[in-house]
Amino acid sequence: MLESMPLACGIWDEGGNMLDCNEAAVELFEAPDRETFIREFVRFSPSIRPEGASIQEVLQANMPRTIEEREVHFFWEHTTYNGKHLPLRSTLRRADTPGERIVVSSAEDLRKLRAKEAELDQERRLLRNVMDSSPVCFVIQVNGLVRFATRYAQQFFDMRVGDRLGDFFTTATEHRRFLREVQETGAVNWRVGTLRAADGSLREMLINAFSAEYYGESCVMSWLMLFRTASLFRHS
């Protein structure tokens, strides 16, 4: 059964002792052989959590939880046999066999995921630096709330993440019309709209907006460029 699993897997008793593992576990931890990996498992888990628990203590604490709840997840910073960093997301599952209960573990290698996240973070920082250096307001709203705003947008509108974008339109009706147009056509192509700036004045802006996804959520991304200044007196 273990050898048919694509992830690194192990079999444990209720006391947190490893009884067996599959070849995928031996390869993941770069152990010389299965017997060495089982016998010296603690060697591959030298890190201590901030609260001071070792991997043995974590396993011993999670075994009763696994028996009771059937499944438990946790993260751990392991190392390979040769000392390379190996972050894993581990899952413990209860398995009932004739005459005894055992726990089956599986481990997901997070190195590629973390490398990809680091790459994306670098790209986001670069994009943020480019956008913050441009005197153009760019705003992302999710469910009507500002999720992202460039530095210029924050200064120009006194806008913060979590604000309601509709509060910056002159009326709720105009904001609803704007959202409806984006939803129905997928985009608003450089039309003039009136928004309220940080100083309380009303500013006519060229608005370009489109529907998109932001970290898996539907959103509206908007470019706002100053068209001309309109005083409160003119729009009253």
Side-chain angles (χ1 to χ4, degrees):
M1 179 185 73
L2 284 182
E3 295 305 333
S4 65
M5 301 290 289
L7 297 177
C9 296
I11 295 179
W12 308 75
D13 63 21
E14 294 184 51
N17 302 301
M18 184 183 290
L19 306 175
D20 198 2
C21 70
N22 63 358
E23 192 60 30
V26 177
E27 293 176 359
L28 177 63
F29 285 86
E30 300 177 0
D33 52 61
R34 188 176 306 206
E35 290 71 24
T36 300
F37 178 68
I38 294 172
R39 185 178 62 253
E40 301 181 15
F41 176 72
V42 175
R43 167 183 179 155
F44 302 91
S45 314
S47 59
I48 300 292
R49 283 194 167 185
E51 60 269 25
S54 67
I55 186 64
Q56 289 175 303
E57 292 168 325
V58 169
L59 285 170
Q60 290 169 359
N62 279 322
M63 289 302 170
R65 282 188 57 208
T66 305
I67 298 301
E68 181 179 349
E69 302 173 16
R70 301 195 69 91
E71 186 169 301
V72 171
H73 305 273
F74 65 94
F75 296 90
W76 197 268
E77 307 292 331
H78 294 270
T79 59
T80 66
Y81 187 78
N82 295 316
K84 297 184 212 173
H85 184 223
L86 181 60
L88 298 179
R89 179 182 186 270
S90 296
T91 299
L92 303 178
R93 294 183 179 89
R94 190 183 86 191
D96 296 323
T97 60
E100 65 176 340
R101 279 178 174 168
I102 59 174
V103 172
V104 178
S105 67
S106 60
E108 180 185 358
D109 187 353
L110 300 179
R111 287 177 294 185
K112 289 183 179 179
L113 176 62
R114 290 191 178 178
K116 185 63 177 177
E117 288 175 345
E119 182 181 340
L120 289 174
D121 285 342
Q122 185 175 2
E123 290 177 358
R124 291 188 197 108
R125 285 193 296 270
L126 177 61
L127 179 61
R128 182 71 188 244
N129 290 337
V130 170
M131 296 182 71
D132 279 346
S133 66
S134 173
V136 175
C137 298
F138 178 72
V139 180
I140 298 175
Q141 62 171 323
V142 177
N143 296 324
L145 301 179
V146 175
R147 184 67 65 84
F148 174 90
T150 58
R151 185 178 304 163
Y152 190 75
Q154 293 177 29
Q155 294 172 348
F156 188 83
F157 293 107
D158 192 22
M159 180 183 291
R160 298 292 180 268
V161 172
D163 287 346
R164 299 190 63 84
L165 188 61
D167 293 341
F168 298 91
F169 282 75
T170 52
T171 65
T173 300
E174 185 172 359
H175 182 236
R176 285 195 297 268
R177 182 166 63 88
F178 162 74
L179 290 179
R180 185 168 58 250
E181 185 176 346
V182 175
Q183 291 165 358
E184 292 176 354
T185 66
V188 169
N189 295 313
W190 298 116
R191 72 169 176 81
V192 178
T194 306
L195 285 83
R196 193 179 309 279
D199 61 5
S201 64
L202 301 181
R203 303 295 184 94
E204 289 187 336
M205 311 288 292
L206 280 174
I207 303 174
N208 184 53
F210 54 92
S211 298
E213 279 200 359
Y214 187 67
Y215 295 108
E217 295 182 280
S218 297
C219 74
V220 175
M221 297 188 176
S222 305
W223 296 92
L224 308 167
M225 298 181 66
L226 187 62
F227 184 61
R228 61 175 178 266
T229 303
S231 67
L232 286 167
F233 177 79
R234 284 178 55 196
H235 287 269
S236 59

